């Protein structure tokens, strides 16, 4: 059988002896140290001299960091499939995606019966294994929200809950020798795992033929099925020759390292073996194989492939079922090699973790999860060549940000998350767009520094740092963009530029407030502030006199020293209960007397229901991230406005809005202070005179829009990061006329084809006029 072109990997097959109990664990650790990719263990739970394989694998996974772990193979009659599925998924999660599942139909039936298992004929064992695979795959299919039902003769589940979700694409490898098992491997497995010692000449070629025929019959690519092989032997000065599985290859290897390479090479090139697993408990054998056989065999295979013109498979081969979920308009097979390995498609296990954002459900056709800024031009060029929407994601938390879509491409910068100090004297730092503000705060806090950002540590740097950044320190330290000194970015044409006050200054102006329209920022350079401990206050008030409370709170905040920043949150009133307002405030001071003096006027605003005041580092305040992946459903409905003062008229209108029941979340953030120190035309964020930012969330677009439109005459603009309304006129409300026209001209210069258009698009001047 020809070479399938898969990359070579190597593993060890270690006896799970309990004499002594740590022997197998130490050999697994040595396997990792020697550079093996995989460590495996046989599963014979009826052997009193063996450790339980599942317990051993769990302990090995905990005692290693890189190497993958697998049973070789699991004794299915004694391992119920639904329980096995959850155990495998759990170990996969705990190990960081390092568990693979090898299954066997069963053997040693007397011992299995003695342990309570059921004796099966060979044909029954294959049928039972087929049903078990269906159960296991069903438990893993967490994207299917329906309860799992499998009506099998040997295994069945009736409404089982699915999950947990896998950490990686976990293959199922089958230990198979007979035709029925081989056909099952071709139909349902991702790996064939026999032992060389049990094969005769021609068995590998014949087995591959059966597997490939069954795979083709099931609509699968034979390359989906990795061919693994357990091998054994000893190193010696000479070797013995005997007919084996592949003509001249003996069933047990011997001789020098060169002899081993010579014997294994045809197994790889003529029989498609891409994973060799060495069965040995001798550390010397494992070390010699790793140091002398593995590199030489890799080199020999690579040389032969090069001489024959075979192009090795650079990325994993997706299953036919996964390929069937691909979306129209995307050339999946045309992905550049530089970004293909980490690309996530709708049929991949990882898709459920990346399809949606914090507030918005999505179904993109492809998520390009990049690991290096150098990949951005390739990703952008590929995306431009497709006829689908494009979104760019840093943290995926934004309210307005279209960092997901339906059927399009998402360029995910999550892994571009470095945080480094460039110059301690000037407090200059470089931060990647995928870093989270919680991590930024923690890193800067080690130096006694901080950078005002938002109010939630899970927000990504990229979106916020190109829009504005209204956070807990805003009145004292300004917007996040006011600290930006330079940025590296990839433009629509794929070129990379550095922008600053001296380099592309006009583009640098646009990046600070409307950056999503001009390119993909791959790193930010900020000048941060010295910030010590802060006062953090949480108040709950009876705000039944809502209008009066809003007006009083606004007046106190607006007239307070700049070291006070305060946010107010309310929801719809509840019958028979006081209308509660939460006031969350930060005092940028570590002096308790100063903190109390700033907070006392707020505490006297209305009847106080609950209060908490703490002295803490700013990094502790930002360590407020909830765990788990983003898994939103539907679309958020939010409206935004910037306002100079909380006037009696606005307070009354806001109270009426809350009383309508159409708003379930109402927030006012203080702005003003240092924000207004920056000239309105210095950045694309131009509404510098506003002292407050207002945002509301509702559920019914038409009703909320009607109420908000009636209210909007109170505002002097809006903050696009908190806005979801895509009706005409939002850009004109967000940017003054001169600012918007300047943005359109920049767009015409740097993105004339309007590549970046899916997030409150500033259309180029020429396109708008045409």
């Amino acid at each position: 059988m020809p070479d399938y072109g898969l990359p070579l990997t190597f593993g060890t097959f270690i006896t799970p002896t309990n004499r002594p109990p740590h022997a197998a664990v130490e050999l697994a650790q040595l396997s990792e140290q020697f550079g093996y990719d995989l460590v495996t263990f046989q599963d014979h739970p009826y052997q009193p001299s063996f450790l339980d394989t599942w317990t051993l694998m769990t302990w090995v996974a905990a005692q290693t960091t890189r190497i993958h772990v697998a049973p070789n193979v699991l004794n299915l009659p004694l391992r119920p499939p639904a329980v096995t599925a959850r155990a495998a998924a759990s170990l996969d999660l705990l190990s960081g995606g390092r568990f693979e599942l090898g299954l066997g139909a069963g053997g040693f039936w007397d011992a299995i019966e003695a342990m309570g298992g059921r004796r099966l004929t060979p044909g029954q064992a294959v049928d039972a294994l087929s049903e078990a695979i269906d159960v296991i795959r069903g438990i893993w299919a967490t994207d299917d929200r329906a309860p799992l039902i499998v009506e099998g003769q040997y295994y069945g589940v009736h409404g089982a809950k699915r999950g947990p979700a896998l950490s990686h694409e976990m293959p199922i490898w089958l230990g198979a020798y007979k035709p029925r098992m081989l056909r099952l491997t071709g139909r349902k497995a991702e790996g064939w795992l026999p032992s060389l010692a049990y094969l005769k000449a021609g068995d590998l070629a014949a087995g591959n033929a059966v597997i490939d025929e069954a795979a083709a019959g099931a609509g699968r690519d034979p390359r989906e099925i990795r061919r693994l092989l357990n091998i054994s032997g000893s190193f010696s000065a000479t070797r013995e020759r005997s007919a084996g599985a592949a003509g001249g290859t003996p069933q047990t290897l011997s001789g020098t390292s060169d002899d081993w390479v010579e014997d294994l090479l045809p197994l790889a090139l003529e029989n498609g073996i891409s994973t060799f697993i060495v069965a040995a408990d001798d550390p010397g054998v494992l070390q010699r194989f790793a140091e002398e056989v593995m590199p030489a065999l890799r080199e020999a295979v690579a040389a032969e492939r090069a001489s024959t013109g075979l192009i090795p498979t650079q990325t994993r081969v997706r299953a036919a079922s996964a390929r069937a979920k691909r979306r129209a308009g995307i050339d999946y097979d045309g992905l550049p090699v530089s970004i293909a390995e980490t690309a996530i498609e709708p049929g991949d296990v990882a898709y459920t973790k990346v399809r949606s954002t914090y507030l918005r459900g999505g179904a993109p056709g492809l998520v390009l999860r990049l690991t290096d800024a150098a990949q951005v031009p390739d990703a952008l060029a590929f995306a431009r060549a497709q006829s689908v929407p494009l979104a760019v994601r840093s943290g995926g938390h934004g309210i307005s940000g279209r960092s997901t879509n339906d059927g399009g491409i998402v360029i995910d910068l999550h892994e571009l998350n470095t945080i480094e100090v460039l110059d301690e004297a000037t407090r200059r730092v470089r931060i990647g767009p995928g870093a989270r503000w919680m991590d930024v705060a923690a890193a800067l806090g080690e130096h006694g520094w901080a950078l005002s950002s938002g109010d939630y540590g899970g927000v990504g740097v990229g979106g916020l740092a190109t829009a504005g950044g209204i956070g807990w320190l805003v009145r004292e330290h300004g917007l996040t963009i006011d600290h930006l000194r330079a940025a590296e970015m990839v433009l629509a044409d794929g070129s990379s530029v550095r922008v600053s006050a001296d380099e592309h200054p006009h583009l640098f102006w646009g990046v600070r407030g409307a950056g999503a329209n001009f390119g993909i920022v791959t790193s930010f350079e900020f000048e941060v502030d010295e910030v010590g401990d802060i006062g953090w206050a949480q108040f709950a008030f009876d705000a039944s006199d809502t209008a009066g409370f809003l007006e009083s709170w606004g007046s106190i905040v607006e007239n307070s020293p700049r070291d006070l920043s305060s946010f107010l949150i309310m929801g719809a009133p509840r019958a028979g209960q006081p209308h509660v307002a939460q006031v969350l405030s930060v005092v940028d001071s570590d002096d308790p007397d100063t903190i109390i003096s700033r907070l006392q006027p707020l505490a006297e605003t209305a009847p106080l229901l609950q209060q908490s005041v703490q002295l803490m580092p700013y990094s502790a305040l930002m360590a407020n991230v909830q765990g788990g992946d983003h898994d939103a459903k539907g679309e958020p409905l939010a409206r935004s406005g910037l306002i100079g003062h909380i006037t009696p008229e606005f307070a009354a209108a806001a109270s009426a809005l809350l009383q309508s029941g159409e708003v379930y979340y109402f927030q006012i953030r203080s702005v003003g202070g240092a924000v207004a120190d920056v000239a309105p035309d210095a950045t694309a964020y131009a509404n510098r005179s506003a002292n407050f930012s207002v945002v509301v969330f509702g559920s019914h677009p038409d009703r909320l829009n009607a109420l908000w439109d009636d209210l909007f005459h109170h505002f002097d603009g809006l903050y696009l990061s908190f806005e979801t309304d895509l009706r005409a006129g939002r850009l004109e409300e967000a940017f003054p006329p001169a600012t918007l026209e300047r943005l359109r001209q920049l767009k015409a210069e740097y993105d004339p084809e309007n590549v970046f258009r899916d997030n409150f698009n500033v259309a180029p001047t020429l396109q708008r006029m045409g």
Side-chain angles (χ1 to χ4, degrees):
M1 186 70 191
D3 181 3
Y4 295 98
L6 299 179
L8 287 188
T9 60
F10 297 92
T12 58
F13 190 3
I14 295 169
T15 305
T17 181
N18 58 25
R19 300 172 183 172
H22 288 286
V25 179
E26 291 169 356
L27 284 173
Q29 292 172 318
L30 281 175
S31 298
E32 179 172 74
Q33 178 183 326
F34 293 152
Y36 287 91
D37 305 289
L38 175 71
V39 59
T40 70
F41 305 95
Q42 57 186 291
D43 182 36
H44 296 289
Y46 33 75
Q47 289 282 9
S49 62
F50 284 1
L51 295 165
D52 171 68
T53 298
W54 202 274
T55 306
L56 172 61
M57 291 188 298
T58 302
W59 187 249
V60 166
Q63 298 296 311
T64 55
T65 59
R66 178 194 55 79
I67 199 166
H68 286 229
V69 182
N72 192 347
V73 286
L74 210 62
N75 195 318
L76 185 65
L78 294 176
R79 307 283 185 181
V83 176
T84 297
R86 286 208 168 90
S90 299
L91 185 49
D92 190 49
L93 289 169
L94 291 170
S95 66
R98 293 189 292 122
F99 183 72
E100 324 291 2
L101 184 58
L103 295 177
F108 304 97
W109 291 104
D110 290 342
I112 288 174
E113 282 187 312
M115 294 284 289
R118 175 185 174 187
R119 180 184 292 269
L120 300 175
T121 67
Q124 289 173 331
V126 175
D127 292 340
L129 179 56
S130 179
E131 292 176 3
I133 292 174
D134 293 340
V135 171
I136 291 170
R137 293 246 182 260
I139 293 292
W140 290 348
T142 54
D143 57 335
D144 187 345
R145 297 185 178 274
L148 176 62
I149 298 175
V150 176
E151 299 288 353
Q153 181 179 355
Y154 304 96
Y155 299 113
V157 289
H158 310 281
K161 295 181 179 179
R162 303 174 192 266
L166 297 176
S167 180
H168 83 302
E169 303 283 343
M170 188 188 300
I172 291 178
W173 302 330
L174 298 186
Y177 296 92
K178 301 298 184 181
R180 289 190 65 178
M181 277 289 287
L182 293 170
R183 287 194 291 271
L184 177 62
T185 303
R187 293 196 311 272
K188 293 188 176 182
E190 288 78 38
W192 177 31
L193 179 51
S195 292
L196 183 63
Y198 299 143
L199 297 174
K200 305 185 303 295
D203 281 355
L204 279 175
N208 277 328
V210 174
I211 290 171
D212 291 353
E213 182 180 3
R220 304 181 70 197
D221 184 334
R223 295 178 305 158
E224 294 177 35
I225 303 147
R226 178 173 283 272
R227 319 302 157 114
L228 308 93
L229 186 65
N230 294 319
I231 60 174
S232 60
S234 59
F235 291 99
S236 57
T238 59
R239 64 179 173 181
E240 298 180 4
R241 276 294 188 187
S242 62
T249 303
Q251 292 173 306
T252 301
L253 302 175
S254 62
T256 66
S257 297
D258 290 341
D259 293 332
W260 280 53
V261 172
E262 183 179 340
D263 287 337
L264 295 177
L265 186 60
L267 297 180
L269 297 176
E270 300 170 16
N271 293 276
I273 302 300
S274 54
T275 298
F276 292 95
I277 302 174
V278 183
D281 295 329
D282 182 347
V285 171
L286 297 181
Q287 183 173 6
R288 184 169 179 180
F289 185 90
E291 292 178 352
E292 299 179 4
V293 178
M294 280 164 45
L297 185 59
R298 280 197 172 105
E299 182 178 350
V301 169
E304 182 64 22
R305 287 174 173 176
S307 69
T308 59
L310 186 146
I311 300 175
T313 301
Q314 298 293 332
T315 60
R316 67 184 184 277
V317 179
R318 285 180 169 82
S321 58
R323 297 195 302 273
K325 295 181 180 180
R326 289 175 167 178
R327 304 290 294 271
I330 300 176
D331 179 16
Y332 292 92
D333 294 330
L335 267 174
V337 172
S338 62
I339 58 175
E341 185 62 33
T342 55
I344 301 173
E345 298 183 11
D348 294 347
V349 164
Y351 182 72
T352 57
K353 300 178 181 180
V354 300
R355 63 180 298 171
S356 299
T357 63
Y358 182 72
L359 291 172
R360 178 173 283 105
L366 183 66
V367 178
L368 300 177
R369 213 162 208 194
L370 309 185
T371 58
D372 190 281
Q375 297 172 311
V376 174
D378 284 348
L380 183 56
F382 176 81
R384 289 192 62 176
Q386 316 306 308
S387 56
V388 296
L390 168 65
V392 180
R393 176 188 302 166
S394 54
H397 188 276
I399 296 171
S400 70
R402 266 59 183 179
S403 54
T404 190
N405 53 44
D406 184 5
I409 293 173
V410 174
I411 296 178
D412 190 319
L413 309 176
H414 171 78
E415 298 291 335
L416 276 60
N417 55 13
T418 56
I419 305 167
E420 56 182 317
V421 177
L422 299 178
D423 187 339
E424 192 145 359
T426 61
R427 302 186 302 279
R428 185 90 163 226
V429 300
R430 179 187 291 128
I431 303 175
R436 300 181 304 171
W437 288 111
M438 176 182 74
D439 302 316
V440 173
L444 298 184
E446 295 177 2
H447 302 272
W449 303 339
L451 175 59
S452 183
S453 52
D455 64 341
Y456 182 64
V459 174
V461 167
L464 184 146
T466 53
I470 303 174
W472 294 120
L473 303 174
V474 63
R475 295 183 72 242
E476 177 84 341
H477 297 286
L479 302 172
T480 305
I481 61 172
D482 297 337
H483 295 265
L484 185 61
R485 298 296 176 260
E488 303 281 345
M489 61 189 300
V490 177
L491 302 179
D493 63 2
S495 62
S496 297
V497 298
R498 177 181 172 86
V499 297
S500 68
D502 302 316
E503 305 156 288
H504 301 281
H506 298 298
L507 184 55
F508 183 54
W509 171 88
V511 165
R512 291 172 294 164
N517 273 276
F518 300 108
I520 300 174
V521 177
T522 56
S523 72
F524 298 85
E525 292 182 18
F526 295 102
E527 183 179 314
V528 300
D529 292 315
E530 292 181 340
V531 175
D533 285 351
I534 58 168
W536 164 239
Q538 302 173 80
F539 294 158
F541 294 98
D542 179 349
S544 298
D545 176 12
T546 303
F549 178 80
L550 294 176
E551 184 181 355
S552 297
W553 173 84
S555 177
I556 292 170
V557 172
E558 187 176 340
N559 291 287
S560 292
R562 290 184 174 190
D563 56 9
L564 172 74
S565 294
S566 187
F567 294 6
L568 178 151
I569 301 171
M570 297 185 72
R574 298 181 179 182
Q577 299 181 29
H579 198 178
V580 176
Q582 297 180 62
V583 171
L584 310 176
S585 304
V586 166
V587 180
D588 184 17
S589 174
D590 60 3
D591 176 49
D593 292 336
T594 300
I595 295 170
I596 296 302
S597 68
R598 302 292 189 264
L599 297 175
Q600 191 62 41
L602 287 175
E604 297 172 356
T605 306
L608 193 58
L609 304 176
Q610 193 173 13
Q611 63 175 315
S612 170
V613 180
Q614 299 171 268
L615 187 65
M616 62 168 59
Y618 176 74
S619 58
L621 174 59
M622 294 301 291
N624 56 0
V625 178
Q626 299 173 353
D629 300 302
H630 296 330
D631 190 27
K633 302 293 184 295
E635 288 277 327
L637 176 60
R639 300 303 309 273
S640 165
L642 295 170
I643 192 169
H645 312 285
I646 308 297
T647 63
E649 293 78 15
F650 172 74
S655 177
L657 178 68
L658 286 164
Q659 292 294 327
S660 73
E662 292 297 330
V663 170
Y664 63 84
Y665 182 89
F666 174 92
Q667 184 194 65
I668 306 178
R669 297 189 182 199
S670 62
V671 194
V675 176
D677 291 345
V678 178
D681 61 355
T683 66
Y685 183 102
N687 295 305
R688 297 279 178 172
S689 62
N691 285 306
F692 300 96
S693 168
V694 184
V695 60
V696 298
F697 282 80
S699 302
H700 305 286
D702 292 340
R703 296 204 291 265
L704 180 62
N705 285 340
L707 290 168
W708 193 254
D709 290 349
D710 289 342
L711 194 70
F712 202 80
H713 67 276
H714 294 283
F715 297 116
D716 299 317
L718 62 85
Y719 182 42
L720 284 177
S721 285
F722 294 163
E723 181 65 62
T724 64
D725 184 14
L726 296 178
R727 295 178 300 164
R730 296 294 82 79
L731 287 175
E732 286 75 12
E733 293 167 353
F735 300 108
T739 300
L740 184 56
E741 181 56 34
R742 187 175 175 184
L743 288 171
R744 293 193 192 282
Q745 292 173 4
L746 277 176
K747 185 75 169 179
E749 179 180 356
Y750 289 102
D751 186 15
E753 297 180 14
N754 209 14
V755 172
F756 301 106
R757 58 180 177 271
D758 290 321
N759 187 18
F760 288 105
N761 180 219
V762 175
T765 297
L766 294 178
Q767 178 172 322
R768 181 174 63 93
M769 292 175 63

